[in-house]
């Protein structure tokens, strides 16, 4: 039977055309974190490599930060907002179940009527969004796609949790994905290990605050959650996550290199998820990256911004001249789920 469906009419390949970032104005040093936990600046730096992070103010919402980063990425790509055919936003800190924040962002940047949706893939969210965008461009469903990773993780930080209080920061990173004449985004190696989902999680589900029937009651009486219930926060089993990231994600990174036909010696830049400096350094050693490879270590001053960490680190490397347009970069994100995504890209 002959199909009546026309073949896709997209570009032969896709590339990252522009990048933009937004970091909140408030810089929070470790000394401020130490007001709430029994620790030291030396301990935080030795465990994570983090010295400062940015926390959003009341007006620096998920949407506002995204709009700022998106505007820079669109300008960097030499486009206008009207040319954006799809908006993909990866976040875990937009607290409205519906509508997707992507629709608001699309409207605020003046993009017209693009496809717009949110994804939740934790710290691998940027890689997931990048992969979806590449597919849209090559199958012709959108010529230019805006991919945003954005978080206000300060809203989900328990300042009294000694294991996580110092980790998280806020910010937004964005890229434009568009058509290319040669390969510039490699095959994605991605996946999940749901049996480890408890190692990084939100402490409480939102429905714990919902008004619920009285247990054992037979009438219409209802009660609300007691005030003693703490606001949800992100928690993790630090050692388990560290071991998984160091040993398993190095394998995934190597698989992405192999899939792209690239060796460590061919790389110019390595941009891993900015979770922890010790994880980054361990991956560099395991992958046997040459000293000539520039390694993103944005975590020192930005903290862990989950889905925003890779595009923010990419933007900073390019802005400071540590990386340049046309460089070959390995990017890998990994986190809650546990999920991961790695690919090799040509920098814009």
């Amino acid at each position: 039977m002959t199909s009546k469906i026309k073949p896709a009419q997209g570009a032969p390949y896709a590339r990252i055309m522009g990048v933009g970032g937004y970091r909140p104005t408030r810089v929070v040093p470790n000394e401020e974190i130490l007001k709430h936990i029994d620790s030291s600046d030396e301990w935080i730096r030795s465990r994570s490599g983090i010295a400062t992070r940015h926390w959003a103010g009341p007006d620096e919402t998920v949407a506002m930060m995204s709009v700022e980063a998106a505007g820079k990425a669109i300008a960097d790509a030499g486009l206008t907002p009207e040319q954006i055919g799809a908006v993909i936003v990866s976040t875990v800190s937009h607290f409205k179940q519906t509508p997707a924040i992507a629709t608001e962002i699309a409207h605020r940047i003046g993009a017209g009527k693009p496809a717009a949706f949110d994804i939740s893939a934790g710290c691998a969210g940027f890689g997931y969004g990048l992969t979806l965008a590449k597919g849209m461009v090559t199958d012709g469903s959108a010529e230019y796609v805006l991919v945003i990773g954005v978080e206000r993780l300060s809203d989900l930080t328990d300042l009294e949790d000694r294991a996580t209080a110092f980790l998280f920061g806020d910010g937004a990173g964005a890229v434009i994905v568009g058509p290319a004449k040669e390969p510039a985004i490699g095959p994605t190696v991605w996946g999940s290990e749901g049996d480890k989902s408890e190692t990084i999680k939100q402490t409480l589900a939102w429905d714990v605050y919902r008004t619920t029937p009285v247990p054992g009651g037979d009438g219409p009486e209802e009660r609300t959650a007691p005030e003693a219930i703490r606001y949800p926060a992100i928690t993790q089993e630090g050692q388990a996550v560290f071991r998984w990231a160091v040993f398993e994600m190095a394998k995934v990174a190597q698989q992405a290199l192999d899939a792209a036909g690239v060796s460590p010696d061919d790389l110019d830049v390595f941009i891993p998820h900015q979770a922890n400096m010790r994880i980054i350094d361990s991956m560099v050693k395991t992958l046997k990256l040459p000293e000539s490879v520039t390694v993103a270590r944005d975590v020192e001053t930005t903290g862990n911004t989950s889905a925003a960490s890779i595009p923010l680190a990419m933007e900073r490397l390019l802005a400071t001249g540590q990386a340049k347009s046309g460089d070959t970069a390995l990017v890998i994100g990994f986190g809650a789920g546990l999920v991961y995504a790695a690919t090799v890209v040509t920098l814009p």
Side-chain angles (χ1 to χ4, degrees):
M1 179 178 174
T2 303
S3 173
K4 299 178 181 179
I5 301 173
K6 291 173 59 177
Q9 299 293 320
Y13 305 104
R15 66 188 176 105
I16 299 175
M17 300 176 60
V19 61
Y22 180 85
R23 291 172 173 81
T25 56
R26 180 186 175 195
V27 177
V28 179
N30 287 340
E31 286 74 18
E32 186 166 340
I33 304 297
L34 295 173
K35 295 176 183 178
H36 307 279
I37 58 173
D38 181 16
S39 187
S40 68
D41 177 65
E42 181 182 4
W43 186 89
I44 293 174
R45 288 173 185 259
S46 66
R47 298 284 291 185
S48 68
I50 298 172
T52 61
R53 73 285 292 149
H54 295 256
W55 281 357
D59 297 330
E60 292 171 313
T61 64
V62 167
M64 176 270 184
M65 294 190 292
S66 296
V67 168
E68 291 293 319
K72 295 175 183 177
I74 293 169
D76 191 45
L79 301 177
T80 62
E82 294 83 358
Q83 292 176 274
I84 303 301
V87 178
I88 303 171
V89 177
S90 178
T91 184
V92 299
S93 46
H94 170 53
F95 291 162
K96 287 185 179 179
Q97 197 72 31
T98 192
I101 194 65
T103 58
E104 178 183 342
I105 294 166
H107 172 70
R108 289 177 59 171
I109 65 173
K113 299 180 180 179
F117 59 94
D118 299 350
I119 60 174
S120 176
C123 304
F126 175 75
Y128 276 50
L130 185 64
T131 303
L132 295 173
K134 173 187 173 184
M136 290 179 176
V137 171
T138 56
D139 78 4
S141 60
E143 185 175 13
Y144 302 106
V145 182
L146 170 62
V147 180
I148 300 171
V150 57
E151 302 293 2
R152 267 184 57 123
L153 293 181
S154 58
D155 291 335
L156 288 169
T157 298
D158 181 351
L159 291 178
E160 297 178 0
D161 180 1
R162 188 173 183 271
T164 62
F166 57 89
L167 288 177
F168 303 119
D170 302 336
V175 300
I176 301 296
V177 178
K181 295 181 179 179
E182 59 183 14
I185 302 175
T188 299
V189 177
W190 57 354
S192 65
E193 297 185 29
D195 60 316
K196 301 179 180 65
S197 61
E198 292 295 302
T199 56
I200 306 175
K201 63 181 181 179
Q202 184 171 304
T203 52
L204 296 169
W206 299 116
D207 61 3
V208 73
Y209 295 95
R210 185 177 60 184
T211 299
T212 56
V214 175
D218 56 5
E221 297 175 286
E222 294 185 326
R223 65 174 176 83
T224 57
E227 293 182 4
I229 294 180
R230 293 173 66 92
Y231 194 75
I234 297 174
T235 186
Q236 69 176 29
E237 298 174 15
Q239 287 301 314
V241 173
F242 180 85
R243 288 192 298 269
W244 175 79
V246 168
F247 296 108
E248 297 302 322
M249 291 306 97
K251 297 176 186 176
V252 171
Q254 184 61 58
Q255 290 169 14
L257 289 173
D258 294 341
V262 172
S263 74
D265 291 336
D266 296 322
L267 285 178
D268 300 302
V269 184
F270 178 40
I271 310 177
H273 165 47
Q274 302 295 293
N276 181 301
M277 195 75 78
R278 292 167 61 212
I279 292 175
I280 294 171
D281 290 341
S282 294
M283 291 183 70
V284 169
K285 183 178 181 180
T286 302
L287 290 168
K288 298 180 180 179
L289 297 184
E291 291 186 5
S292 60
V293 174
T294 297
V295 179
R297 292 188 170 88
D298 195 44
V299 66
E300 180 180 3
T301 56
T302 306
N304 180 345
T305 56
S306 189
S309 77
I310 290 175
L312 277 175
M314 182 184 296
E315 185 266 347
R316 174 162 281 173
L317 288 176
L318 290 166
T320 58
Q322 297 176 71
K324 63 183 185 299
S325 175
D327 279 353
T328 300
L330 169 64
V331 299
I332 179 170
F334 45 85
L338 294 171
V339 296
Y340 53 88
T343 189
V344 177
V345 303
T346 300
L347 294 183

